Amino acid sequence: MAHINQEQRYVITLMLQQGKLQKEIALFINRSPSVISREIRRNRDAKTGIYESNVAQRAYER
């Protein structure tokens, strides 16, 4: 399966800010809820716990 792309990361950020559930995000971007869960867990800020698409994208590019 392909990686989550930059646009999908942005959508995840927006939907989380809107209070959407991970299941709803997964349906919207056509990914499994476990993929969304892993993406958020791996790429959220260690101090604040907030997921930001630009931070996640930079981590992916490294």
Side-chain angles (χ1 to χ4, degrees):
M1 177 173 275
H3 295 278
I4 291 179
N5 63 38
Q6 188 171 10
E7 182 179 323
Q8 291 169 326
R9 288 186 173 96
Y10 183 70
V11 169
I12 292 170
T13 298
L14 290 178
M15 292 184 80
L16 286 172
Q17 290 171 348
Q18 295 170 358
K20 302 294 183 187
L21 300 173
Q22 291 179 14
K23 184 177 181 180
E24 294 172 299
I25 298 168
L27 288 171
F28 188 80
I29 64 172
N30 198 29
R31 296 293 181 145
S32 74
S34 63
V35 168
I36 303 304
S37 177
R38 280 194 304 272
E39 172 69 15
I40 294 168
R41 186 180 68 247
R42 290 176 182 166
N43 294 305
R44 66 182 173 211
D45 184 272
K47 292 181 182 178
T48 65
I50 296 172
Y51 177 87
E52 293 185 40
S53 60
N54 57 343
V55 174
Q57 184 65 29
R58 282 196 304 267
Y60 167 73
E61 291 171 355
R62 275 186 249 138

